Each structure stands twice: as structure tokens, then as C-alpha cells.
Amino acid sequence: QVQLVESGGGSVQAGGSLRLSCAASGVTVSRNCMGWFRQVPGKERLEVAVLKSLGDITYYSESVKGRFTISRDNPNNTVYLQMDSLKPEDTAMYYCAAAGSTPGASFYRGCRFGYWGQGTQVTVSS
């Protein structure tokens, strides 16, 4: 059974930093596409960052490029999202996802994300 548990969210002022963690079990982060997504109430879920297993290729949405960094810790089977220079528009629920062929899986950057965490809230005040 795959479990993804996010942590590290919270409230921060604009310009500040947070690091989100995603502890994975039932899936090996080094061998899977991993991603971070965010959603605000009433709006669609948006891609933030994707990390592919092959070649450690990373993708970022234009809105976070240069400010956010996705990485993984293979021994601890954990994926991180370092968020710097945070802006009020970064306020959202952030979700970790892993590739997997489950019903309703969503495609991003050539990866089929089928496993999702419960989310961690990030609030950035101006």
C-alpha cells in the first residue's frame, strides 16, 4: 500500500522560505516520477514541480521557476520542495504525488500520477 505523508507547511510572510517534505512508503522515490502540486479552493489542481527518476530531470511551473527546488533523499525515501522568496499567490494546499497506474491517475510531464498525499497548507501573508 502506497502512502505519501506531507509535512512542513505553515504560515510565513512574503519573502520567506519553507521546506515541504513527503515521506513515502510502498513506493521507491528513486525509481518513480515524483511531483508537487497545489490547489486553492474552487480552482483546479496545478503542477508545481516534477522530478523524473531517469536522469533526475526536473520540471517547474513558470510561476515558481527560480524560487522552488524539488529534490529527493533516497536513503530516507523522501521528496522535498524547498520554497524560497514566497509570495502571497503561493498560498495553497500542497500535495505530493507519485507515479502509479491507479484509476483516475493524472498525466503531467509524461508521468502518470496515481498516488496522492493528504496535503499540507501553505499560507503566505503580505
Side-chain angles (χ1 to χ4, degrees):
Q1 183 180 357
V2 175
Q3 278 195 317
L4 303 172
V5 180
E6 302 98 334
S7 62
S11 297
V12 65
Q13 288 196 323
S17 298
L18 285 173
R19 188 176 79 156
L20 305 184
S21 299
C22 172
S25 58
V27 62
T28 303
V29 302
S30 62
R31 291 196 237 120
N32 278 273
C33 277
M34 301 295 299
W36 286 96
F37 300 80
R38 65 188 183 189
Q39 189 171 24
V40 297
K43 297 202 172 180
E44 64 176 332
R45 182 175 60 204
L46 299 176
E47 170 205 292
V48 175
V50 170
L51 174 58
K52 290 201 163 185
S53 56
L54 189 62
D56 284 347
I57 295 172
T58 55
Y59 299 96
Y60 297 93
S61 68
E62 285 299 318
S63 62
V64 307
K65 198 173 291 185
R67 301 187 297 121
F68 291 11
T69 304
I70 186 171
S71 63
R72 60 175 160 234
D73 179 350
N74 294 340
N76 289 309
N77 211 35
T78 299
V79 176
Y80 300 102
L81 183 69
Q82 177 66 41
M83 305 187 296
D84 299 317
S85 301
L86 283 160
K87 303 176 181 180
E89 51 263 43
D90 294 318
T91 295
M93 185 71 80
Y94 282 72
Y95 297 92
C96 174
S101 298
T102 60
S106 302
F107 280 95
Y108 295 90
R109 307 287 187 174
C111 300
R112 188 174 185 178
F113 287 101
Y115 301 106
W116 298 84
Q118 292 299 306
T120 186
Q121 177 68 36
V122 171
T123 302
V124 185
S125 58
S126 57

mmCIF file of all heavy atoms in Angstrom, residues 45 98-108 111-116:
data_model
loop_
_atom_site.group_PDB
_atom_site.id
_atom_site.type_symbol
_atom_site.label_atom_id
_atom_site.label_comp_id
_atom_site.label_asym_id
_atom_site.label_seq_id
_atom_site.Cartn_x
_atom_site.Cartn_y
_atom_site.Cartn_z
ATOM 1 N N ARG A 45 -6.320 21.796 -9.654
ATOM 2 C CA ARG A 45 -5.010 21.466 -9.142
ATOM 3 C C ARG A 45 -3.950 21.798 -10.206
ATOM 4 O O ARG A 45 -4.131 21.507 -11.383
ATOM 5 C CB ARG A 45 -4.966 19.978 -8.816
ATOM 6 C CG ARG A 45 -3.680 19.479 -8.228
ATOM 7 C CD ARG A 45 -3.828 18.032 -7.837
ATOM 8 N NE ARG A 45 -4.158 17.204 -8.983
ATOM 9 C CZ ARG A 45 -4.773 16.027 -8.904
ATOM 10 N NH1 ARG A 45 -5.138 15.559 -7.733
ATOM 11 N NH2 ARG A 45 -5.022 15.327 -9.994
ATOM 12 N N ALA A 98 3.010 10.522 -6.474
ATOM 13 C CA ALA A 98 3.939 9.541 -7.027
ATOM 14 C C ALA A 98 3.295 8.860 -8.219
ATOM 15 O O ALA A 98 2.065 8.709 -8.282
ATOM 16 C CB ALA A 98 4.299 8.504 -5.963
ATOM 17 N N ALA A 99 4.127 8.437 -9.142
ATOM 18 C CA ALA A 99 3.608 7.768 -10.329
ATOM 19 C C ALA A 99 2.987 6.427 -9.952
ATOM 20 O O ALA A 99 3.486 5.719 -9.095
ATOM 21 C CB ALA A 99 4.719 7.568 -11.340
ATOM 22 N N GLY A 100 1.903 6.102 -10.612
ATOM 23 C CA GLY A 100 1.232 4.826 -10.388
ATOM 24 C C GLY A 100 -0.004 4.737 -11.249
ATOM 25 O O GLY A 100 -0.683 5.750 -11.476
ATOM 26 N N SER A 101 -0.278 3.531 -11.729
ATOM 27 C CA SER A 101 -1.422 3.334 -12.630
ATOM 28 C C SER A 101 -2.673 2.984 -11.841
ATOM 29 O O SER A 101 -3.103 1.834 -11.819
ATOM 30 C CB SER A 101 -1.097 2.242 -13.646
ATOM 31 O OG SER A 101 -0.014 2.617 -14.442
ATOM 32 N N THR A 102 -3.244 3.949 -11.218
ATOM 33 C CA THR A 102 -4.491 3.774 -10.480
ATOM 34 C C THR A 102 -5.628 4.422 -11.257
ATOM 35 O O THR A 102 -5.383 5.300 -12.093
ATOM 36 C CB THR A 102 -4.403 4.403 -9.085
ATOM 37 O OG1 THR A 102 -4.139 5.805 -9.243
ATOM 38 C CG2 THR A 102 -3.263 3.792 -8.277
ATOM 39 N N PRO A 103 -6.860 4.011 -11.003
ATOM 40 C CA PRO A 103 -7.994 4.671 -11.672
ATOM 41 C C PRO A 103 -7.992 6.157 -11.373
ATOM 42 O O PRO A 103 -7.806 6.566 -10.238
ATOM 43 C CB PRO A 103 -9.209 3.964 -11.066
ATOM 44 C CG PRO A 103 -8.703 2.643 -10.606
ATOM 45 C CD PRO A 103 -7.289 2.896 -10.148
ATOM 46 N N GLY A 104 -8.171 6.954 -12.400
ATOM 47 C CA GLY A 104 -8.208 8.388 -12.183
ATOM 48 C C GLY A 104 -6.851 9.047 -12.120
ATOM 49 O O GLY A 104 -6.748 10.225 -11.767
ATOM 50 N N ALA A 105 -5.801 8.284 -12.455
ATOM 51 C CA ALA A 105 -4.455 8.867 -12.448
ATOM 52 C C ALA A 105 -4.377 10.010 -13.455
ATOM 53 O O ALA A 105 -5.045 10.003 -14.488
ATOM 54 C CB ALA A 105 -3.421 7.801 -12.779
ATOM 55 N N SER A 106 -3.550 11.005 -13.133
ATOM 56 C CA SER A 106 -3.426 12.191 -13.976
ATOM 57 C C SER A 106 -2.036 12.260 -14.584
ATOM 58 O O SER A 106 -1.050 11.951 -13.918
ATOM 59 C CB SER A 106 -3.665 13.445 -13.135
ATOM 60 O OG SER A 106 -4.936 13.414 -12.534
ATOM 61 N N PHE A 107 -1.973 12.696 -15.852
ATOM 62 C CA PHE A 107 -0.705 12.799 -16.558
ATOM 63 C C PHE A 107 -0.135 14.206 -16.452
ATOM 64 O O PHE A 107 -0.818 15.195 -16.724
ATOM 65 C CB PHE A 107 -0.878 12.443 -18.036
ATOM 66 C CG PHE A 107 -0.921 10.973 -18.300
ATOM 67 C CD1 PHE A 107 -2.133 10.316 -18.387
ATOM 68 C CD2 PHE A 107 0.244 10.246 -18.443
ATOM 69 C CE1 PHE A 107 -2.185 8.952 -18.631
ATOM 70 C CE2 PHE A 107 0.202 8.877 -18.685
ATOM 71 C CZ PHE A 107 -1.015 8.239 -18.774
ATOM 72 N N TYR A 108 1.126 14.272 -16.030
ATOM 73 C CA TYR A 108 1.874 15.520 -16.040
ATOM 74 C C TYR A 108 3.288 15.184 -16.478
ATOM 75 O O TYR A 108 3.910 14.276 -15.921
ATOM 76 C CB TYR A 108 1.921 16.166 -14.657
ATOM 77 C CG TYR A 108 0.593 16.617 -14.118
ATOM 78 C CD1 TYR A 108 -0.196 15.754 -13.357
ATOM 79 C CD2 TYR A 108 0.124 17.902 -14.348
ATOM 80 C CE1 TYR A 108 -1.405 16.172 -12.848
ATOM 81 C CE2 TYR A 108 -1.085 18.329 -13.837
ATOM 82 C CZ TYR A 108 -1.847 17.460 -13.089
ATOM 83 O OH TYR A 108 -3.048 17.877 -12.580
ATOM 84 N N CYS A 111 4.405 11.685 -16.898
ATOM 85 C CA CYS A 111 4.279 10.785 -15.754
ATOM 86 C C CYS A 111 2.802 10.623 -15.408
ATOM 87 O O CYS A 111 2.059 11.597 -15.423
ATOM 88 C CB CYS A 111 5.026 11.334 -14.546
ATOM 89 S SG CYS A 111 6.785 11.558 -14.809
ATOM 90 N N ARG A 112 2.458 9.408 -15.031
ATOM 91 C CA ARG A 112 1.072 9.125 -14.671
ATOM 92 C C ARG A 112 0.989 9.093 -13.156
ATOM 93 O O ARG A 112 1.347 8.096 -12.517
ATOM 94 C CB ARG A 112 0.653 7.784 -15.262
ATOM 95 C CG ARG A 112 -0.816 7.489 -15.115
ATOM 96 C CD ARG A 112 -1.171 6.222 -15.859
ATOM 97 N NE ARG A 112 -2.606 5.967 -15.831
ATOM 98 C CZ ARG A 112 -3.200 4.960 -16.437
ATOM 99 N NH1 ARG A 112 -2.481 4.095 -17.127
ATOM 100 N NH2 ARG A 112 -4.498 4.807 -16.371
ATOM 101 N N PHE A 113 0.527 10.167 -12.572
ATOM 102 C CA PHE A 113 0.484 10.290 -11.117
ATOM 103 C C PHE A 113 -0.803 9.670 -10.588
ATOM 104 O O PHE A 113 -1.896 10.168 -10.825
ATOM 105 C CB PHE A 113 0.589 11.754 -10.703
ATOM 106 C CG PHE A 113 1.968 12.326 -10.891
ATOM 107 C CD1 PHE A 113 2.264 13.116 -11.990
ATOM 108 C CD2 PHE A 113 2.973 12.052 -9.980
ATOM 109 C CE1 PHE A 113 3.534 13.627 -12.176
ATOM 110 C CE2 PHE A 113 4.258 12.561 -10.160
ATOM 111 C CZ PHE A 113 4.537 13.350 -11.256
ATOM 112 N N GLY A 114 -0.611 8.555 -9.860
ATOM 113 C CA GLY A 114 -1.772 7.833 -9.359
ATOM 114 C C GLY A 114 -1.901 7.806 -7.857
ATOM 115 O O GLY A 114 -2.928 7.391 -7.321
ATOM 116 N N TYR A 115 -0.845 8.242 -7.164
ATOM 117 C CA TYR A 115 -0.863 8.237 -5.704
ATOM 118 C C TYR A 115 -0.662 9.663 -5.194
ATOM 119 O O TYR A 115 0.240 10.368 -5.649
ATOM 120 C CB TYR A 115 0.234 7.328 -5.156
ATOM 121 C CG TYR A 115 0.117 5.903 -5.618
ATOM 122 C CD1 TYR A 115 0.980 5.376 -6.571
ATOM 123 C CD2 TYR A 115 -0.880 5.067 -5.103
ATOM 124 C CE1 TYR A 115 0.869 4.072 -6.998
ATOM 125 C CE2 TYR A 115 -0.999 3.758 -5.530
ATOM 126 C CZ TYR A 115 -0.128 3.265 -6.483
ATOM 127 O OH TYR A 115 -0.249 1.965 -6.906
ATOM 128 N N TRP A 116 -1.511 10.026 -4.228
ATOM 129 C CA TRP A 116 -1.501 11.390 -3.724
ATOM 130 C C TRP A 116 -1.522 11.394 -2.203
ATOM 131 O O TRP A 116 -2.148 10.533 -1.566
ATOM 132 C CB TRP A 116 -2.739 12.144 -4.241
ATOM 133 C CG TRP A 116 -2.749 12.248 -5.728
ATOM 134 C CD1 TRP A 116 -3.194 11.304 -6.617
ATOM 135 C CD2 TRP A 116 -2.262 13.334 -6.503
ATOM 136 N NE1 TRP A 116 -3.011 11.743 -7.900
ATOM 137 C CE2 TRP A 116 -2.446 12.977 -7.871
ATOM 138 C CE3 TRP A 116 -1.690 14.564 -6.197
ATOM 139 C CZ2 TRP A 116 -2.073 13.835 -8.910
ATOM 140 C CZ3 TRP A 116 -1.332 15.406 -7.233
ATOM 141 C CH2 TRP A 116 -1.522 15.040 -8.569
#
